[in-house]
Amino acid sequence: MAEKSKLDNPVSINTAAEETLEESQNTQGQAEVESENEDEEEDAPSGSTPAAGAAAKKKKSKRKRIKSALKGGSGGESSSGETKSIGSISNENAMELLKANPALAQQLGVENKSEKEILATMKKLSLADIMTGLAMSGKNAKDMGAYKFWGTQPVKKFGDQETIEEGPFKIIDPDKVPKEPGPLIDGFEWVTMDMTSDEETKEVYELLNGHYVEDNEAMFRFNYSEAFLRWALLAPGWTKEWHVGVRATASQKLVAFISAVPVELRVRQRVLHASEVNFLCIHKKLRAKRLTPVLIKEVTRRCYLKGTWQAIYTAGVVLPTPISTCRYYHRSIDWEKLHEVGFSPLPPGSKPSYQIAKYKLPDRTSTKGLRAMEAKDLDAVTDLLKRYLSRFDMAPVYNKDEIEHLMLHKKNQGEQVIWSYVVEDPSTQKITDFFSFYCIESTVMKPSRYPTIRAAYLFYYATETAFSTLSSSGTSAAKAADLRTRLNVLVNDALILAKKAKFDVFNALTLLDNNHFLEEQKFGGGDGQLHFYLYNYNANPIAGGVDERNRIDERGSGIGVVML
């Protein structure tokens, strides 16, 4: 699943750490008394805009959460299994949790601390704080199932040896897979959602629109369109039974949903016939009913019945145990709008006019032969993307039919979800480059003249430059420089095309070869991260493009799969 992220504001993090240190020095061991006004909004400067007031409130809220964690408090409500102190687990496991959560490491300021000092800080945290990385606490702490539940599943456990022989955790006996779903709590019943039905697709849309991912201040919520859901869930080979719902028996209202789609997933040298599990959503009023483990078990059962034994899934929380972690980066297109709704902060010492000028884009693309992808390009794009993705440790293996469905927008399909472009060499008529991005709108939760943010998400891309032997010196460094140069040109053109398509922001993760262009193309680090997980497959860690400080890792990423 995608996770909500917005541009990070390091000022609040640094200020929280500084205030905590100062308070600890001033109290000198005396009991600390919290201000009665701790929960009040921080006053905005005189004459400030509503956006500035919202930003001040967010800064205060985030500082309070981090300060609370640094001093031993909990960042938000959590289940009884997660409120216990991190001190109840071993030092080795505590450090492993921190290693799996670079955003938390950054927020706790561990860069210049010894391991002893780091452990002393972490021992004051609750398991919920660690598992959610602080940034996911409060209203956005997603119910991904109790920690104890994951301890019973075929997934890697915290503390397991790092280097292992890769393969399934267990071999499933098809004869022992239950033919009927497990029981639900009274008043609810299992259903299979028909995503070819306009009425049932609308029900899924309304559930997600009201109860799916929010950012940690509950300012924005994903607004998946019905067209997007069909694009994501009706890919070639889709199975109706993998679109799992729960209805209230009396009202027949859809109150929970989880889905899976088939994917041929290569993990290093082995190709798995797997599923992508996504769109886990439970009505807010039912979060205490512990439906998440039940939903996961049910979609797993249905996958097993089809002979699919492995799955890939993502989350913003740290569960046992991520195979990789990537960070969100955001490139403002309409900075003025993004600032007004509270998405993009105004950097200290800057002015709005400077930010608008900084993110200004040319009116025209620069690459010769760049055009929208057409049906005649399918063979060339399929071949190019297959070769390009083979360079990564984990990536899907797509066939021509899947590329057609995922990458090619057909005008008779109505609302456009995917934008794909190719570069055709004018002299040879061969396709040398390809890139794509898709659209997800986010609802602005607080009163604003802008009801939505229109976001472009970088999808798949490929370039023959990655395989070129024509670099000036032929060295690996020269080839990497050529690839960096080419990708920066292509992504700059993608930004220009996104602007023409009326997008407000362009989002990307630290996967594929994105680290070659994120900083040069003025992407800013977000406050969200995405952890990748494999179900019933034990694999060694894969680089996610961020280092221990949650910054871009110049060594790149081994992740070649883009989850919707």
Side-chain angles (χ1 to χ4, degrees):
M1 69 176 61
E3 286 298 322
K4 205 75 195 77
S5 174
K6 61 184 181 301
L7 281 167
D8 202 4
N9 187 351
V11 175
S12 61
I13 298 172
N14 294 337
T15 303
E18 292 169 0
E19 288 179 356
T20 305
L21 178 60
E22 182 180 353
E23 288 170 2
S24 65
Q25 292 171 339
N26 290 339
T27 56
Q28 295 181 347
Q30 296 178 2
E32 183 174 319
V33 180
E34 288 289 339
S35 167
E36 295 179 357
N37 298 322
E38 185 73 71
D39 292 325
E40 293 182 3
E41 297 182 20
E42 186 171 273
D43 293 335
S46 177
S48 64
T49 65
K57 181 180 179 181
K58 287 194 301 172
K59 183 191 299 183
K60 183 78 169 180
S61 172
K62 190 164 190 175
R63 290 216 310 266
K64 182 187 175 185
R65 288 201 314 277
I66 299 169
K67 286 167 63 180
S68 176
L70 286 166
K71 294 183 290 188
S74 175
E77 296 178 2
S78 39
S79 64
S80 59
E82 296 172 351
T83 54
K84 63 181 180 180
S85 170
I86 194 71
S88 60
I89 69 173
S90 69
N91 290 349
E92 181 182 355
N93 286 358
M95 293 304 294
E96 186 176 352
L97 280 167
L98 188 63
K99 184 178 179 181
N101 202 340
L104 179 62
Q106 181 192 38
Q107 290 181 344
L108 295 183
V110 303
E111 182 178 351
N112 298 314
K113 291 182 179 179
S114 66
E115 181 173 321
K116 183 178 180 180
E117 291 173 318
I118 294 171
L119 286 169
T121 300
M122 290 187 67
K123 296 284 183 177
K124 299 176 183 178
L125 298 173
S126 70
L127 281 174
D129 289 325
I130 295 291
M131 292 171 64
T132 60
L134 296 183
M136 297 293 293
S137 61
K139 294 182 180 180
N140 198 43
K142 290 182 63 58
D143 182 8
M144 284 295 295
Y147 182 78
K148 291 181 180 179
F149 164 72
W150 290 103
T152 67
Q153 300 303 296
V155 297
K156 190 174 183 179
K157 307 302 187 291
F158 291 129
D160 288 353
Q161 63 184 71
E162 286 199 14
T163 303
I164 48 87
E165 182 179 348
E166 299 186 347
F169 280 99
K170 63 179 182 179
I171 303 301
I172 308 301
D173 183 350
D175 295 333
K176 294 183 179 180
V177 177
K179 301 300 185 289
E180 299 296 329
L184 278 171
I185 54 178
D186 290 343
F188 299 92
E189 60 189 44
W190 292 111
V191 293
T192 296
M193 301 303 294
D194 182 1
M195 299 304 293
T196 65
S197 160
D198 289 343
E199 180 179 347
E200 295 195 22
T201 300
K202 184 177 180 181
E203 287 185 272
V204 175
Y205 159 77
E206 290 176 345
L207 176 67
L208 294 174
N209 188 44
H211 306 278
Y212 201 48
V213 180
E214 296 174 355
D215 69 297
N216 55 304
E217 274 91 18
M219 295 183 67
F220 311 101
R221 181 188 294 139
F222 280 138
N223 181 13
Y224 291 106
S225 68
E226 294 176 44
F228 182 95
L229 292 174
R230 285 203 173 98
W231 176 67
L233 297 178
L234 299 182
W238 66 276
T239 299
K240 180 180 178 180
E241 289 75 21
W242 290 3
H243 302 152
V244 185
V246 174
R247 291 191 187 278
T249 303
S251 66
Q252 285 297 291
K253 181 179 179 65
L254 183 68
V255 296
F257 181 75
I258 191 171
S259 69
V261 294
V263 60
E264 296 297 303
L265 181 69
R266 179 182 54 77
V267 182
R268 296 187 169 92
Q269 303 304 315
R270 187 168 181 177
V271 177
L272 309 177
H273 177 64
S275 62
E276 284 187 17
V277 177
N278 209 340
F279 301 112
L280 168 59
C281 183
I282 298 171
H283 194 288
K284 289 180 179 179
K285 293 183 178 179
L286 299 179
R287 298 278 168 85
K289 300 293 185 181
R290 299 297 181 195
L291 283 175
T292 292
V294 181
L295 284 166
I296 294 171
K297 287 180 180 179
E298 177 58 16
V299 76
T300 299
R301 184 190 71 85
R302 296 187 184 200
C303 287
Y304 282 174
L305 288 175
K306 295 292 184 179
T308 299
W309 317 121
Q310 280 79 38
I312 181 174
Y313 54 102
T314 58
V317 294
V318 178
L319 305 168
T321 298
I323 186 175
S324 188
T325 296
C326 297
R327 184 181 182 184
Y328 275 104
Y329 275 73
H330 311 281
R331 206 289 186 182
S332 299
I333 296 176
D334 187 344
W335 184 88
E336 192 170 15
K337 174 181 176 179
L338 296 175
H339 178 59
E340 182 168 329
V341 299
F343 184 93
S344 295
L346 180 65
S350 185
K351 298 180 180 179
S353 59
Y354 294 166
Q355 296 302 303
I356 294 171
K358 174 182 177 180
Y359 294 112
K360 182 176 175 60
L361 288 162
D363 293 326
R364 297 182 179 181
T365 57
S366 61
T367 305
K368 292 182 179 180
L370 177 64
R371 59 172 174 79
M373 181 179 170
E374 302 174 20
K376 66 179 181 179
D377 305 316
L378 282 170
D379 286 329
V381 169
T382 302
D383 173 70
L384 178 58
L385 185 59
K386 182 178 181 180
R387 288 185 288 119
Y388 196 85
L389 293 181
S390 70
R391 301 164 54 250
F392 299 92
D393 291 334
M394 184 168 72
V397 181
Y398 288 135
N399 59 35
K400 181 179 175 180
D401 290 341
E402 291 168 321
I403 294 296
E404 180 176 8
H405 173 83
L406 289 171
M407 309 299 177
L408 193 61
H409 170 68
K410 299 176 182 178
K411 294 182 179 179
N412 61 356
Q413 290 178 327
E415 179 186 341
Q416 186 168 1
V417 174
I418 183 72
W419 282 254
S420 298
Y421 298 86
V422 297
V423 178
E424 182 178 354
D425 188 309
S427 58
T428 64
Q429 282 72 57
K430 290 184 177 181
I431 301 301
T432 60
D433 309 87
F434 153 80
F435 62 78
S436 58
F437 52 86
Y438 59 89
C439 174
I440 300 179
E441 290 191 351
S442 289
T443 300
V444 178
M445 305 295 291
K446 297 184 178 181
S448 170
R449 62 182 176 131
Y450 299 111
T452 61
I453 294 176
R454 185 170 162 85
Y457 283 76
L458 184 62
F459 201 31
Y460 288 101
Y461 58 84
T463 174
E464 290 286 1
T465 304
F467 314 104
S468 176
T469 59
L470 301 179
S471 59
S472 56
S473 66
T475 65
S476 58
K479 292 179 181 178
D482 289 346
L483 178 60
R484 176 183 290 270
T485 299
R486 186 60 174 175
L487 289 177
N488 272 280
V489 171
L490 293 172
V491 172
N492 189 254
D493 281 346
L495 292 169
I496 294 169
L497 292 166
K499 178 184 177 182
K500 289 184 177 180
K502 307 300 182 184
F503 285 96
D504 303 311
V505 63
F506 201 104
N507 299 329
L509 284 156
T510 55
L511 43 68
L512 293 169
D513 285 314
N514 295 2
N515 289 5
H516 282 316
F517 57 77
L518 289 174
E519 291 181 335
E520 189 167 335
Q521 295 305 316
K522 302 173 185 176
F523 283 75
D527 61 5
Q529 58 186 8
L530 196 66
H531 304 287
F532 287 76
Y533 301 89
L534 293 176
Y535 189 89
N536 195 24
Y537 194 80
N538 198 4
N540 290 300
I542 296 175
V546 287
D547 60 21
E548 295 80 1
R549 299 172 296 173
N550 203 31
R551 298 175 185 172
I552 288 177
D553 190 337
E554 292 301 327
R555 293 171 295 181
S557 175
I559 298 295
V561 56
V562 183
M563 295 280 286
L564 300 175

